[in-house]
Amino acid sequence: MSILVAGGAGYIGSHTSVELLNAGYDLVIVDNYCNSSPLVLDRIKTITGKDFKFYECNICNREGMRKIFQQEKIDAVIHFAGLKAVGESCVKPLEYYENNVWGSVALLEVMKEFGCKKIVFSSSATVYGSENKAPFVETMPVGTATNPYGTTKIYIENILQDLYKSDNEWSISLLRYFNPIGAHPSGLIGENPNGIPNNLMPYVSQVAVGKLACLSVNGNDYPTPDGTGVRDYIHVVDLALGHIKAVQRVLKKTGVDIYNLGTGKGYSVLEVVETFKRVNGVDVPYKIAPRRPGDIATCYANADKAYKELGWKAERNLEDMCRDTWNWQKKNPNGYEQ
């Protein structure tokens, strides 16, 4: 079976690509390096000892995507491609709607043209918005995201569900995942954000390695035990394995399935910082900064459905996530930069 991974050189995409190859799938990666590096490709090959096809292309480019589908027999698609920073989306909403929503429509049109109607979509817990209360369950209403990034995910989920209503041959899995952190245990691939990180863990690790001077903790006045935001952090390898389970499902059945991929446990920002310091024996100086626009106080998953229907659950704990993040960062202090 041949799986096309759109955005496969990115953080989650690269880890999922490793697990796809380890599971015996033929792999086709499409990426435009918007949030990634060409060096990732060789590292995936080093980890797995396997080769794969790669095409540099933006999914918004219909002609480019058509050429790929003409050259490759694609059985299913995993769709990671898109812009992903919550804060940036509040500043640049039009870019997010164009890249994420328009790009997804273009990809789906090409898939339909070539009779490839099986897709796993990278959605997000942000679709639950601020009105629902954690733990979040798949049956909760969505449609009130607190930021444009989350809204693009809602729109794409709606597009995919409408697509199935119009054509019951489609097989669609919507994966709402929470806060991926960690890295492959080899230390060869990990999170490599452009510029100053938007997410907590790469910020923590870059401060620890001396690349940044001090961590900014955005808000300490939330209604949480220590005042800092609480999130469901999930190891990126666990998340990647969840995508393997979802691919297996879409290859077997039609319909639309929605799954939370999380640990079911929330940790505060300060808990993550203190765990990172303790596990790795490093210091992480921090200061309190204002809240970020679009953030909510508490976000964690109920992941029972994924366990019951996919046979998947997160196996790695916060200590594993902190240890693997530091292993990646200390081996790659400047990320993929040479």
Side-chain angles (χ1 to χ4, degrees):
M1 289 288 183
S2 182
I3 311 299
L4 185 147
V5 181
Y11 174 44
I12 305 171
S14 60
H15 288 80
T16 301
S17 294
V18 165
E19 299 305 330
L20 284 167
L21 290 168
N22 286 342
Y25 291 98
D26 295 323
L27 176 66
V28 179
I29 292 179
V30 176
D31 207 297
N32 68 346
Y33 299 130
C34 177
N35 288 310
S36 58
S37 165
L39 296 177
V40 174
L41 305 177
D42 286 336
R43 297 191 180 195
I44 293 172
K45 294 174 184 177
T46 299
I47 292 169
T48 62
K50 297 180 179 180
D51 202 0
F52 54 86
K53 300 288 185 65
F54 173 78
Y55 295 89
E56 184 174 353
C57 186
N58 188 322
I59 60 168
C60 295
N61 180 351
R62 284 177 171 79
E63 287 307 313
M65 294 303 297
R66 283 192 182 99
K67 289 179 182 178
I68 295 169
F69 275 81
Q70 286 168 354
Q71 295 180 48
E72 307 291 342
K73 184 187 181 302
I74 306 299
D75 295 294
V77 171
I78 303 180
H79 176 18
F80 294 107
L83 302 177
K84 61 179 184 176
V86 167
E88 183 185 60
S89 76
C90 296
V91 179
K92 302 177 179 178
L94 294 181
E95 290 186 28
Y96 273 70
Y97 291 124
E98 179 177 7
N99 280 274
N100 295 7
V101 180
W102 179 246
S104 296
V105 170
L107 172 62
L108 291 167
E109 286 181 342
V110 174
M111 289 176 63
K112 182 178 180 180
E113 181 181 336
F114 286 87
C116 178
K117 298 182 179 181
K118 302 179 186 300
I119 185 169
V120 176
F121 174 58
S122 165
S123 191
S124 167
T126 59
V127 303
Y128 290 111
S130 59
E131 299 301 316
N132 293 306
K133 301 301 180 185
F136 297 137
V137 182
E138 292 89 346
T139 53
M140 286 178 170
V142 300
T144 57
T146 58
N147 54 75
Y149 164 74
T151 303
T152 67
K153 295 296 187 181
I154 292 170
Y155 286 169
I156 298 165
E157 283 197 8
N158 288 341
I159 289 166
L160 286 163
Q161 292 181 81
D162 286 342
L163 184 58
Y164 175 72
K165 290 174 186 175
S166 72
D167 181 355
N168 296 152
E169 291 181 356
W170 281 85
S171 181
I172 298 165
S173 185
L174 309 177
L175 302 184
R176 295 174 179 166
Y177 39 80
F178 285 68
N179 290 69
I181 60 176
H184 192 271
S186 66
L188 288 173
I189 57 174
E191 190 167 9
N192 181 43
N194 296 326
I196 296 176
N198 291 291
N199 297 325
L200 174 63
M201 188 57 90
Y203 209 133
V204 168
S205 63
Q206 288 188 18
V207 170
V209 83
K211 189 174 181 180
L212 296 173
C214 182
L215 169 68
S216 292
V217 175
N218 296 111
N220 68 341
D221 58 348
Y222 286 107
T224 62
D226 62 18
T228 63
V230 170
R231 297 292 182 269
D232 187 336
Y233 295 97
I234 177 173
H235 198 296
V236 67
V237 173
D238 278 332
L239 188 61
L241 292 168
H243 287 76
I244 308 305
K245 294 290 189 179
V247 163
Q248 292 169 352
R249 188 168 179 86
V250 298
L251 288 170
K252 291 178 181 177
K253 67 177 289 294
T254 59
V256 180
D257 294 305
I258 303 172
Y259 300 104
N260 288 336
L261 297 187
T263 65
K265 181 174 177 59
Y267 294 96
S268 76
V269 171
L270 293 183
E271 282 183 279
V272 173
V273 172
E274 293 304 319
T275 302
F276 190 95
K277 291 164 62 175
R278 174 175 55 80
V279 167
N280 298 311
V282 295
D283 190 29
V284 182
Y286 66 86
K287 63 182 179 182
I288 304 301
R291 294 185 183 189
R292 294 188 308 183
D295 278 350
I296 61 174
T298 302
C299 175
Y300 62 96
N302 178 316
D304 291 348
K305 184 181 178 185
Y307 180 67
K308 291 175 183 175
E309 295 188 9
L310 299 179
W312 174 92
K313 66 177 180 178
E315 302 285 352
R316 293 156 182 82
N317 62 28
L318 183 60
E319 291 187 351
D320 298 325
M321 301 177 212
C322 291
R323 189 178 299 109
D324 288 341
T325 297
W326 181 235
N327 183 44
W328 148 258
Q329 190 70 74
K330 68 184 179 181
K331 289 180 177 179
N332 303 271
N334 296 310
Y336 293 111
E337 296 176 12
Q338 294 298 293

